[in-house]
Amino acid sequence: MIYLREIKYIDNKDLLSVLNNSSKIQSIRENIQQGDVYIVKNYFDETKCDSIVDYLRKVGQGSFPNYHPIEKGAPNFHRMNKLDPRAYVKGAFHQFNFFPWNQDYFDLFDSCEAAYALKNLTSNHKADKYLKNEPEEGCTARIAAQFYPRGYGLLNKHTDPVDVHQLTVPIMILSQKGKDFNTGGAYVEKEDGEKIILDDICSKGDIIYFSAEIPHGVLPIDPIVKLPWNNFQGRWMLLLAVNKVAGNTLIADATDLES
């Protein structure tokens, strides 16, 4: 297991030059493998973040949550996880899932092309790996907007698999601590057990890259505030994932470190 070592920053205006610099990519890869966290500043502007959240709030309030397995041709969908005992990692959040073979109003996979390129290149893949209209080698890209409601939201400390498909699972911040919620948030852990809360050092539109093997989770979001879940008030983020499809047993599952 590895732990947080150092936090480093990349300005979005410099991202293209980083992607075209193979020695820089190699350095970032090696640093992430040793526990460094990279924050790409200002990937989305605040207006775009707010537009995405406003839209998803309406989707969540206006349609039933449902579940579909990750497989070829799966529809975009949203689902609740309210401490579901079937989940690999215990948590309470609402998830809105997007796949590259479906269209969406924000063209999220086009908008996140450079962000996925950094994820893929640091995982020793071509920049567009897993972004096709069907799964590749038993895996596919998936963008998941995750909402952690005030009074309920949390995610147990866990690790995700580092394997042939990925080194890092980037997350984009879509809400602002101190405005949308006041306590809790996503964290990564240091070797001495100290939790560094990422929402304390990031702004809307920032993307965070760290090794999936670093213990991480989401501390309870405003636990003493009890609001209706379907108000959709709380913490929002985008998860830029690559997931194994249903039936792929070659890649391990996430590991809950608290259960």
Side-chain angles (χ1 to χ4, degrees):
M1 189 175 294
I2 65 172
Y3 296 91
L4 169 63
R5 185 177 71 169
E6 185 177 349
I7 295 174
K8 300 180 177 181
Y9 295 88
I10 301 172
D11 196 285
N12 186 53
K13 63 181 176 60
D14 301 321
L15 182 56
L16 185 59
S17 64
V18 169
L19 296 176
N20 290 318
N21 187 328
S22 58
S23 62
K24 182 66 174 177
I25 291 294
Q26 181 178 347
S27 175
I28 293 173
R29 178 189 306 122
E30 292 172 352
N31 288 339
I32 289 176
Q33 288 171 332
Q34 295 178 56
D36 286 355
V37 171
Y38 281 83
I39 299 175
V40 176
K41 299 294 295 180
N42 307 309
Y43 189 88
F44 279 177
D45 62 35
E46 185 172 342
T47 299
K48 185 163 188 172
C49 293
D50 290 344
S51 295
I52 292 170
V53 168
D54 288 345
Y55 169 73
L56 294 177
R57 183 179 288 118
K58 293 173 183 175
V59 170
Q61 292 172 334
S63 59
F64 286 116
N66 206 341
Y67 171 78
H68 295 272
I70 299 175
E71 59 187 6
K72 180 180 178 180
N76 295 343
F77 67 93
H78 71 100
R79 69 182 182 98
M80 292 179 69
N81 180 349
K82 199 170 184 179
L83 306 178
D84 190 334
R86 297 168 295 181
Y88 295 121
V89 179
K90 183 179 179 182
F93 56 88
H94 202 116
Q95 187 180 80
F96 300 79
N97 294 277
F98 299 85
F99 297 97
W101 47 78
N102 299 320
Q103 294 184 327
D104 69 85
Y105 290 114
F106 296 97
D107 295 321
L108 285 175
F109 285 95
D110 288 339
S111 299
C112 294
E113 182 179 11
Y116 262 103
L118 183 58
K119 170 184 171 66
N120 282 327
L121 291 171
T122 55
S123 301
N124 271 322
H125 292 307
K126 292 183 178 180
D128 64 348
K129 184 75 170 178
Y130 304 118
L131 295 169
K132 307 298 193 300
N133 285 334
E134 59 181 48
E136 296 180 69
E137 300 172 1
C139 297
T140 185
R142 176 181 64 103
I143 294 178
Q146 292 195 175
F147 160 69
Y148 294 85
R150 298 181 69 194
Y152 302 96
L154 60 86
L155 186 62
N156 273 6
K157 181 170 69 173
H158 67 285
T159 58
D160 293 301
V162 169
D163 209 312
V164 294
H165 66 311
Q166 68 179 12
L167 167 63
T168 177
V169 186
I171 61 173
M172 181 190 297
I173 301 296
L174 293 181
S175 54
Q176 194 66 54
K177 189 172 182 179
K179 179 180 178 182
D180 299 301
F181 65 99
N182 296 307
T183 61
Y187 67 87
V188 289
E189 194 167 83
K190 299 174 70 173
E191 190 169 8
D192 63 4
E194 180 184 1
K195 293 176 171 59
I196 303 301
I197 299 179
L198 299 169
D199 295 87
D200 290 344
I201 59 176
C202 292
S203 302
K204 287 184 184 179
D206 292 352
I207 303 183
I208 306 155
Y209 294 79
F210 58 91
S211 171
E213 289 184 337
I214 293 180
H216 59 283
V218 177
L219 294 174
I221 303 299
D222 292 348
I224 65 172
V225 178
K226 296 298 183 185
L227 297 176
W229 186 294
N230 63 356
N231 279 6
F232 286 96
Q233 295 183 27
R235 178 182 181 269
W236 290 83
M237 56 166 272
L238 281 184
L239 178 68
L240 306 182
V242 169
N243 294 107
K244 62 181 181 178
V245 299
N248 181 347
T249 59
L250 299 178
I251 295 173
D253 300 315
T255 300
D256 193 319
L257 301 176
E258 297 186 51
S259 62

